[in-house]
Amino acid sequence: GAVVSQHPSRVICKSGTSVKIECRSLDFQATTMFWYRQFPKKSLMLMATSNEGSKATYEQGVEKDKFLINHASLTLSTLTVTSAHPEDSSFYICSARYPEQFFGPGTRLTVL
Amino acid sequence: SQQGEEDPQALSIQEGENATMNCSYKTSINNLQWYRQNSGRGLVHLILIRSNEREKHSGRLRVTLDTSKKSSSLLITASRAADTASYFCATDDYNTDKLIFGTGTRLQVFP
């Protein structure tokens, strides 16, 4: 199957800093990528749809100024958590369609 | 909430037994998929069943879909300790093309 990578796999940062997470489709081009958030022992919640060459579409309740998404190329989408706070600590997973969704391995963010 | 419901939330069985997980959803769908997630890891795609299909098999997995009841089940036969993981159903929303996940079932298989 298609491969989606994420970097970093784990990040610890101080409160108030910004963190960028990369999502890459390694062997295919993806005009659409998705970003999910998962709390411990919970399901995945869709945060936003990342569209190559246009603005991301955010789900209700997700702050677009807090979670900046940039889909700069057909193989790369980035999620930047701005001014991170401890409540932003979570597991962030991206996916890309080809044609079904393939998921990245996830990024665990811990904000101290 | 658009999220589907899965039951049971948690299931513990012995190796060799069968495990059945159920998923209910709310909207019209193009297809329904089942995923597996080991603790702290990404998702592994298990099987996809289209809205015009009623049953699908893949190895020890059997998936059924009842669109009239908006429900699906995943059966894992002859379970193994390595099947221990969380299992999620996800529906491909017909109108929005988004993937909506169920609440998940945590399966524990004891050797």
PDB file of all heavy atoms in Angstrom, chain A residues 21-50:
ATOM      1  N   ILE A  21       4.548  19.975  12.564  1.00  0.00           N
ATOM      2  CA  ILE A  21       4.518  18.547  12.256  1.00  0.00           C
ATOM      3  C   ILE A  21       4.357  18.385  10.752  1.00  0.00           C
ATOM      4  O   ILE A  21       3.505  19.028  10.146  1.00  0.00           O
ATOM      5  CB  ILE A  21       3.340  17.855  12.980  1.00  0.00           C
ATOM      6  CG1 ILE A  21       3.433  18.071  14.491  1.00  0.00           C
ATOM      7  CG2 ILE A  21       3.320  16.364  12.657  1.00  0.00           C
ATOM      8  CD1 ILE A  21       2.176  17.635  15.240  1.00  0.00           C
ATOM      9  N   GLU A  22       5.202  17.536  10.170  1.00  0.00           N
ATOM     10  CA  GLU A  22       5.152  17.314   8.725  1.00  0.00           C
ATOM     11  C   GLU A  22       4.478  15.990   8.388  1.00  0.00           C
ATOM     12  O   GLU A  22       4.666  14.991   9.069  1.00  0.00           O
ATOM     13  CB  GLU A  22       6.564  17.300   8.140  1.00  0.00           C
ATOM     14  CG  GLU A  22       7.286  18.614   8.207  1.00  0.00           C
ATOM     15  CD  GLU A  22       8.625  18.551   7.503  1.00  0.00           C
ATOM     16  OE1 GLU A  22       9.080  17.441   7.167  1.00  0.00           O
ATOM     17  OE2 GLU A  22       9.222  19.628   7.309  1.00  0.00           O
ATOM     18  N   CYS A  23       3.729  15.997   7.308  1.00  0.00           N
ATOM     19  CA  CYS A  23       3.086  14.800   6.788  1.00  0.00           C
ATOM     20  C   CYS A  23       3.441  14.683   5.315  1.00  0.00           C
ATOM     21  O   CYS A  23       3.182  15.613   4.548  1.00  0.00           O
ATOM     22  CB  CYS A  23       1.571  14.898   6.968  1.00  0.00           C
ATOM     23  SG  CYS A  23       0.641  13.513   6.296  1.00  0.00           S
ATOM     24  N   ARG A  24       4.053  13.564   4.947  1.00  0.00           N
ATOM     25  CA  ARG A  24       4.489  13.381   3.560  1.00  0.00           C
ATOM     26  C   ARG A  24       3.907  12.105   2.963  1.00  0.00           C
ATOM     27  O   ARG A  24       3.896  11.060   3.628  1.00  0.00           O
ATOM     28  CB  ARG A  24       6.011  13.286   3.460  1.00  0.00           C
ATOM     29  CG  ARG A  24       6.744  14.564   3.799  1.00  0.00           C
ATOM     30  CD  ARG A  24       8.241  14.402   3.645  1.00  0.00           C
ATOM     31  NE  ARG A  24       8.943  15.602   4.096  1.00  0.00           N
ATOM     32  CZ  ARG A  24       9.192  16.654   3.338  1.00  0.00           C
ATOM     33  NH1 ARG A  24       8.808  16.652   2.061  1.00  0.00           N
ATOM     34  NH2 ARG A  24       9.826  17.696   3.819  1.00  0.00           N
ATOM     35  N   SER A  25       3.463  12.205   1.733  1.00  0.00           N
ATOM     36  CA  SER A  25       3.115  11.007   0.983  1.00  0.00           C
ATOM     37  C   SER A  25       4.363  10.621   0.200  1.00  0.00           C
ATOM     38  O   SER A  25       4.885  11.411  -0.584  1.00  0.00           O
ATOM     39  CB  SER A  25       1.935  11.273   0.046  1.00  0.00           C
ATOM     40  OG  SER A  25       2.202  12.365  -0.825  1.00  0.00           O
ATOM     41  N   LEU A  26       4.872   9.411   0.451  1.00  0.00           N
ATOM     42  CA  LEU A  26       6.202   9.063  -0.052  1.00  0.00           C
ATOM     43  C   LEU A  26       6.205   8.554  -1.492  1.00  0.00           C
ATOM     44  O   LEU A  26       7.179   8.740  -2.212  1.00  0.00           O
ATOM     45  CB  LEU A  26       6.843   8.021   0.869  1.00  0.00           C
ATOM     46  CG  LEU A  26       7.114   8.497   2.289  1.00  0.00           C
ATOM     47  CD1 LEU A  26       7.860   7.424   3.068  1.00  0.00           C
ATOM     48  CD2 LEU A  26       7.876   9.798   2.307  1.00  0.00           C
ATOM     49  N   ASP A  27       5.161   7.877  -1.902  1.00  0.00           N
ATOM     50  CA  ASP A  27       5.217   7.281  -3.237  1.00  0.00           C
ATOM     51  C   ASP A  27       3.992   7.607  -4.075  1.00  0.00           C
ATOM     52  O   ASP A  27       3.682   6.909  -5.042  1.00  0.00           O
ATOM     53  CB  ASP A  27       5.395   5.762  -3.129  1.00  0.00           C
ATOM     54  CG  ASP A  27       4.440   5.147  -2.128  1.00  0.00           C
ATOM     55  OD1 ASP A  27       3.599   5.885  -1.565  1.00  0.00           O
ATOM     56  OD2 ASP A  27       4.531   3.935  -1.899  1.00  0.00           O
ATOM     57  N   PHE A  28       3.293   8.680  -3.694  1.00  0.00           N
ATOM     58  CA  PHE A  28       2.151   9.102  -4.487  1.00  0.00           C
ATOM     59  C   PHE A  28       1.890  10.573  -4.212  1.00  0.00           C
ATOM     60  O   PHE A  28       2.397  11.147  -3.238  1.00  0.00           O
ATOM     61  CB  PHE A  28       0.905   8.273  -4.170  1.00  0.00           C
ATOM     62  CG  PHE A  28       0.396   8.442  -2.751  1.00  0.00           C
ATOM     63  CD1 PHE A  28      -0.682   9.273  -2.478  1.00  0.00           C
ATOM     64  CD2 PHE A  28       0.989   7.767  -1.701  1.00  0.00           C
ATOM     65  CE1 PHE A  28      -1.152   9.430  -1.186  1.00  0.00           C
ATOM     66  CE2 PHE A  28       0.531   7.907  -0.404  1.00  0.00           C
ATOM     67  CZ  PHE A  28      -0.549   8.754  -0.142  1.00  0.00           C
ATOM     68  N   GLN A  29       1.117  11.183  -5.073  1.00  0.00           N
ATOM     69  CA  GLN A  29       0.761  12.588  -4.887  1.00  0.00           C
ATOM     70  C   GLN A  29      -0.630  12.686  -4.287  1.00  0.00           C
ATOM     71  O   GLN A  29      -1.521  11.935  -4.657  1.00  0.00           O
ATOM     72  CB  GLN A  29       0.809  13.317  -6.234  1.00  0.00           C
ATOM     73  CG  GLN A  29       2.209  13.413  -6.810  1.00  0.00           C
ATOM     74  CD  GLN A  29       2.258  14.183  -8.119  1.00  0.00           C
ATOM     75  OE1 GLN A  29       1.284  14.196  -8.860  1.00  0.00           O
ATOM     76  NE2 GLN A  29       3.376  14.828  -8.385  1.00  0.00           N
ATOM     77  N   ALA A  30      -0.780  13.597  -3.362  1.00  0.00           N
ATOM     78  CA  ALA A  30      -2.043  13.736  -2.659  1.00  0.00           C
ATOM     79  C   ALA A  30      -2.499  15.196  -2.676  1.00  0.00           C
ATOM     80  O   ALA A  30      -1.867  16.046  -2.056  1.00  0.00           O
ATOM     81  CB  ALA A  30      -1.909  13.251  -1.220  1.00  0.00           C
ATOM     82  N   THR A  31      -3.571  15.455  -3.383  1.00  0.00           N
ATOM     83  CA  THR A  31      -4.106  16.814  -3.377  1.00  0.00           C
ATOM     84  C   THR A  31      -4.844  17.108  -2.074  1.00  0.00           C
ATOM     85  O   THR A  31      -5.023  18.257  -1.705  1.00  0.00           O
ATOM     86  CB  THR A  31      -5.067  17.034  -4.551  1.00  0.00           C
ATOM     87  OG1 THR A  31      -6.101  16.038  -4.498  1.00  0.00           O
ATOM     88  CG2 THR A  31      -4.339  16.923  -5.878  1.00  0.00           C
ATOM     89  N   THR A  32      -5.245  16.054  -1.401  1.00  0.00           N
ATOM     90  CA  THR A  32      -5.980  16.227  -0.148  1.00  0.00           C
ATOM     91  C   THR A  32      -5.351  15.378   0.946  1.00  0.00           C
ATOM     92  O   THR A  32      -5.117  14.186   0.747  1.00  0.00           O
ATOM     93  CB  THR A  32      -7.456  15.828  -0.307  1.00  0.00           C
ATOM     94  OG1 THR A  32      -8.049  16.602  -1.346  1.00  0.00           O
ATOM     95  CG2 THR A  32      -8.223  16.069   0.991  1.00  0.00           C
ATOM     96  N   MET A  33      -5.065  15.997   2.055  1.00  0.00           N
ATOM     97  CA  MET A  33      -4.602  15.289   3.242  1.00  0.00           C
ATOM     98  C   MET A  33      -5.502  15.682   4.404  1.00  0.00           C
ATOM     99  O   MET A  33      -6.156  16.726   4.361  1.00  0.00           O
ATOM    100  CB  MET A  33      -3.141  15.627   3.544  1.00  0.00           C
ATOM    101  CG  MET A  33      -2.156  15.098   2.504  1.00  0.00           C
ATOM    102  SD  MET A  33      -0.438  15.434   2.991  1.00  0.00           S
ATOM    103  CE  MET A  33       0.441  14.589   1.701  1.00  0.00           C
ATOM    104  N   PHE A  34      -5.512  14.856   5.410  1.00  0.00           N
ATOM    105  CA  PHE A  34      -6.383  15.091   6.561  1.00  0.00           C
ATOM    106  C   PHE A  34      -5.537  15.075   7.832  1.00  0.00           C
ATOM    107  O   PHE A  34      -4.588  14.303   7.948  1.00  0.00           O
ATOM    108  CB  PHE A  34      -7.454  14.003   6.647  1.00  0.00           C
ATOM    109  CG  PHE A  34      -8.327  13.915   5.430  1.00  0.00           C
ATOM    110  CD1 PHE A  34      -7.980  13.104   4.369  1.00  0.00           C
ATOM    111  CD2 PHE A  34      -9.506  14.644   5.348  1.00  0.00           C
ATOM    112  CE1 PHE A  34      -8.776  13.019   3.232  1.00  0.00           C
ATOM    113  CE2 PHE A  34     -10.317  14.564   4.220  1.00  0.00           C
ATOM    114  CZ  PHE A  34      -9.948  13.756   3.170  1.00  0.00           C
ATOM    115  N   TRP A  35      -5.941  15.883   8.787  1.00  0.00           N
ATOM    116  CA  TRP A  35      -5.282  15.901  10.093  1.00  0.00           C
ATOM    117  C   TRP A  35      -6.284  15.501  11.170  1.00  0.00           C
ATOM    118  O   TRP A  35      -7.401  16.041  11.236  1.00  0.00           O
ATOM    119  CB  TRP A  35      -4.716  17.285  10.395  1.00  0.00           C
ATOM    120  CG  TRP A  35      -3.486  17.597   9.595  1.00  0.00           C
ATOM    121  CD1 TRP A  35      -3.404  18.275   8.423  1.00  0.00           C
ATOM    122  CD2 TRP A  35      -2.140  17.202   9.917  1.00  0.00           C
ATOM    123  NE1 TRP A  35      -2.109  18.334   7.986  1.00  0.00           N
ATOM    124  CE2 TRP A  35      -1.311  17.693   8.882  1.00  0.00           C
ATOM    125  CE3 TRP A  35      -1.558  16.499  10.969  1.00  0.00           C
ATOM    126  CZ2 TRP A  35       0.071  17.489   8.877  1.00  0.00           C
ATOM    127  CZ3 TRP A  35      -0.185  16.304  10.955  1.00  0.00           C
ATOM    128  CH2 TRP A  35       0.619  16.797   9.921  1.00  0.00           C
ATOM    129  N   TYR A  36      -5.853  14.561  11.998  1.00  0.00           N
ATOM    130  CA  TYR A  36      -6.679  14.058  13.083  1.00  0.00           C
ATOM    131  C   TYR A  36      -5.955  14.280  14.403  1.00  0.00           C
ATOM    132  O   TYR A  36      -4.725  14.344  14.467  1.00  0.00           O
ATOM    133  CB  TYR A  36      -6.945  12.554  12.923  1.00  0.00           C
ATOM    134  CG  TYR A  36      -7.756  12.175  11.717  1.00  0.00           C
ATOM    135  CD1 TYR A  36      -7.145  12.011  10.470  1.00  0.00           C
ATOM    136  CD2 TYR A  36      -9.124  11.934  11.808  1.00  0.00           C
ATOM    137  CE1 TYR A  36      -7.873  11.646   9.362  1.00  0.00           C
ATOM    138  CE2 TYR A  36      -9.860  11.561  10.698  1.00  0.00           C
ATOM    139  CZ  TYR A  36      -9.226  11.424   9.486  1.00  0.00           C
ATOM    140  OH  TYR A  36      -9.947  11.061   8.382  1.00  0.00           O
ATOM    141  N   ARG A  37      -6.769  14.297  15.449  1.00  0.00           N
ATOM    142  CA  ARG A  37      -6.237  14.397  16.802  1.00  0.00           C
ATOM    143  C   ARG A  37      -6.826  13.246  17.601  1.00  0.00           C
ATOM    144  O   ARG A  37      -8.008  12.907  17.440  1.00  0.00           O
ATOM    145  CB  ARG A  37      -6.643  15.734  17.415  1.00  0.00           C
ATOM    146  CG  ARG A  37      -6.111  15.980  18.798  1.00  0.00           C
ATOM    147  CD  ARG A  37      -6.455  17.392  19.225  1.00  0.00           C
ATOM    148  NE  ARG A  37      -5.913  17.658  20.539  1.00  0.00           N
ATOM    149  CZ  ARG A  37      -5.977  18.831  21.152  1.00  0.00           C
ATOM    150  NH1 ARG A  37      -6.577  19.855  20.556  1.00  0.00           N
ATOM    151  NH2 ARG A  37      -5.456  18.997  22.337  1.00  0.00           N
ATOM    152  N   GLN A  38      -5.998  12.650  18.447  1.00  0.00           N
ATOM    153  CA  GLN A  38      -6.478  11.526  19.244  1.00  0.00           C
ATOM    154  C   GLN A  38      -6.003  11.665  20.680  1.00  0.00           C
ATOM    155  O   GLN A  38      -4.800  11.736  20.948  1.00  0.00           O
ATOM    156  CB  GLN A  38      -5.971  10.198  18.659  1.00  0.00           C
ATOM    157  CG  GLN A  38      -6.513   8.972  19.363  1.00  0.00           C
ATOM    158  CD  GLN A  38      -5.995   7.679  18.765  1.00  0.00           C
ATOM    159  OE1 GLN A  38      -4.889   7.620  18.275  1.00  0.00           O
ATOM    160  NE2 GLN A  38      -6.816   6.632  18.801  1.00  0.00           N
ATOM    161  N   PHE A  39      -6.947  11.686  21.603  1.00  0.00           N
ATOM    162  CA  PHE A  39      -6.629  11.695  23.019  1.00  0.00           C
ATOM    163  C   PHE A  39      -6.474  10.257  23.493  1.00  0.00           C
ATOM    164  O   PHE A  39      -6.989   9.330  22.856  1.00  0.00           O
ATOM    165  CB  PHE A  39      -7.710  12.427  23.801  1.00  0.00           C
ATOM    166  CG  PHE A  39      -7.707  13.911  23.552  1.00  0.00           C
ATOM    167  CD1 PHE A  39      -8.684  14.496  22.757  1.00  0.00           C
ATOM    168  CD2 PHE A  39      -6.724  14.719  24.089  1.00  0.00           C
ATOM    169  CE1 PHE A  39      -8.679  15.856  22.509  1.00  0.00           C
ATOM    170  CE2 PHE A  39      -6.712  16.080  23.849  1.00  0.00           C
ATOM    171  CZ  PHE A  39      -7.688  16.652  23.048  1.00  0.00           C
ATOM    172  N   PRO A  40      -5.771  10.064  24.635  1.00  0.00           N
ATOM    173  CA  PRO A  40      -5.524   8.698  25.123  1.00  0.00           C
ATOM    174  C   PRO A  40      -6.799   7.876  25.245  1.00  0.00           C
ATOM    175  O   PRO A  40      -7.799   8.339  25.798  1.00  0.00           O
ATOM    176  CB  PRO A  40      -4.859   8.924  26.478  1.00  0.00           C
ATOM    177  CG  PRO A  40      -4.202  10.253  26.350  1.00  0.00           C
ATOM    178  CD  PRO A  40      -5.119  11.075  25.486  1.00  0.00           C
ATOM    179  N   LYS A  41      -6.757   6.695  24.708  1.00  0.00           N
ATOM    180  CA  LYS A  41      -7.861   5.738  24.773  1.00  0.00           C
ATOM    181  C   LYS A  41      -9.135   6.281  24.139  1.00  0.00           C
ATOM    182  O   LYS A  41     -10.233   5.839  24.471  1.00  0.00           O
ATOM    183  CB  LYS A  41      -8.120   5.315  26.215  1.00  0.00           C
ATOM    184  CG  LYS A  41      -6.937   4.585  26.836  1.00  0.00           C
ATOM    185  CD  LYS A  41      -7.268   4.053  28.214  1.00  0.00           C
ATOM    186  CE  LYS A  41      -6.069   3.303  28.774  1.00  0.00           C
ATOM    187  NZ  LYS A  41      -6.343   2.749  30.120  1.00  0.00           N
ATOM    188  N   LYS A  42      -9.000   7.204  23.254  1.00  0.00           N
ATOM    189  CA  LYS A  42     -10.142   7.765  22.537  1.00  0.00           C
ATOM    190  C   LYS A  42      -9.985   7.548  21.048  1.00  0.00           C
ATOM    191  O   LYS A  42      -8.951   7.071  20.573  1.00  0.00           O
ATOM    192  CB  LYS A  42     -10.275   9.267  22.831  1.00  0.00           C
ATOM    193  CG  LYS A  42     -10.538   9.590  24.284  1.00  0.00           C
ATOM    194  CD  LYS A  42     -11.899   9.108  24.722  1.00  0.00           C
ATOM    195  CE  LYS A  42     -12.182   9.536  26.151  1.00  0.00           C
ATOM    196  NZ  LYS A  42     -13.515   9.041  26.603  1.00  0.00           N
ATOM    197  N   SER A  43     -11.020   7.915  20.318  1.00  0.00           N
ATOM    198  CA  SER A  43     -10.993   7.735  18.874  1.00  0.00           C
ATOM    199  C   SER A  43     -10.340   8.935  18.194  1.00  0.00           C
ATOM    200  O   SER A  43      -9.944   9.906  18.834  1.00  0.00           O
ATOM    201  CB  SER A  43     -12.413   7.546  18.361  1.00  0.00           C
ATOM    202  OG  SER A  43     -12.402   7.237  16.979  1.00  0.00           O
ATOM    203  N   LEU A  44     -10.217   8.845  16.881  1.00  0.00           N
ATOM    204  CA  LEU A  44      -9.646   9.938  16.102  1.00  0.00           C
ATOM    205  C   LEU A  44     -10.732  10.964  15.802  1.00  0.00           C
ATOM    206  O   LEU A  44     -11.830  10.618  15.384  1.00  0.00           O
ATOM    207  CB  LEU A  44      -9.095   9.412  14.776  1.00  0.00           C
ATOM    208  CG  LEU A  44      -7.730   8.750  14.808  1.00  0.00           C
ATOM    209  CD1 LEU A  44      -7.824   7.355  15.404  1.00  0.00           C
ATOM    210  CD2 LEU A  44      -7.127   8.685  13.415  1.00  0.00           C
ATOM    211  N   MET A  45     -10.369  12.223  15.983  1.00  0.00           N
ATOM    212  CA  MET A  45     -11.282  13.305  15.651  1.00  0.00           C
ATOM    213  C   MET A  45     -10.676  14.101  14.502  1.00  0.00           C
ATOM    214  O   MET A  45      -9.546  14.582  14.602  1.00  0.00           O
ATOM    215  CB  MET A  45     -11.498  14.218  16.859  1.00  0.00           C
ATOM    216  CG  MET A  45     -12.158  13.538  18.034  1.00  0.00           C
ATOM    217  SD  MET A  45     -13.833  12.955  17.662  1.00  0.00           S
ATOM    218  CE  MET A  45     -14.671  14.506  17.410  1.00  0.00           C
ATOM    219  N   LEU A  46     -11.426  14.239  13.439  1.00  0.00           N
ATOM    220  CA  LEU A  46     -10.945  14.999  12.289  1.00  0.00           C
ATOM    221  C   LEU A  46     -10.840  16.472  12.664  1.00  0.00           C
ATOM    222  O   LEU A  46     -11.803  17.063  13.157  1.00  0.00           O
ATOM    223  CB  LEU A  46     -11.896  14.822  11.104  1.00  0.00           C
ATOM    224  CG  LEU A  46     -11.528  15.573   9.828  1.00  0.00           C
ATOM    225  CD1 LEU A  46     -10.210  15.064   9.261  1.00  0.00           C
ATOM    226  CD2 LEU A  46     -12.639  15.420   8.791  1.00  0.00           C
ATOM    227  N   MET A  47      -9.658  17.042  12.433  1.00  0.00           N
ATOM    228  CA  MET A  47      -9.441  18.450  12.732  1.00  0.00           C
ATOM    229  C   MET A  47      -9.674  19.311  11.490  1.00  0.00           C
ATOM    230  O   MET A  47     -10.331  20.349  11.553  1.00  0.00           O
ATOM    231  CB  MET A  47      -8.008  18.681  13.214  1.00  0.00           C
ATOM    232  CG  MET A  47      -7.644  17.986  14.497  1.00  0.00           C
ATOM    233  SD  MET A  47      -5.906  18.197  14.886  1.00  0.00           S
ATOM    234  CE  MET A  47      -5.832  19.963  15.175  1.00  0.00           C
ATOM    235  N   ALA A  48      -9.071  18.873  10.380  1.00  0.00           N
ATOM    236  CA  ALA A  48      -9.119  19.719   9.184  1.00  0.00           C
ATOM    237  C   ALA A  48      -8.756  18.914   7.961  1.00  0.00           C
ATOM    238  O   ALA A  48      -8.100  17.873   8.040  1.00  0.00           O
ATOM    239  CB  ALA A  48      -8.173  20.897   9.331  1.00  0.00           C
ATOM    240  N   THR A  49      -9.200  19.418   6.825  1.00  0.00           N
ATOM    241  CA  THR A  49      -8.843  18.859   5.521  1.00  0.00           C
ATOM    242  C   THR A  49      -7.857  19.824   4.870  1.00  0.00           C
ATOM    243  O   THR A  49      -8.154  21.024   4.720  1.00  0.00           O
ATOM    244  CB  THR A  49     -10.094  18.709   4.638  1.00  0.00           C
ATOM    245  OG1 THR A  49     -11.035  17.866   5.323  1.00  0.00           O
ATOM    246  CG2 THR A  49      -9.742  18.081   3.308  1.00  0.00           C
ATOM    247  N   SER A  50      -6.718  19.301   4.496  1.00  0.00           N
ATOM    248  CA  SER A  50      -5.657  20.106   3.909  1.00  0.00           C
ATOM    249  C   SER A  50      -5.716  19.975   2.395  1.00  0.00           C
ATOM    250  O   SER A  50      -5.669  18.869   1.865  1.00  0.00           O
ATOM    251  CB  SER A  50      -4.303  19.599   4.435  1.00  0.00           C
ATOM    252  OG  SER A  50      -3.222  20.243   3.792  1.00  0.00           O
TER     253      SER A  50
END
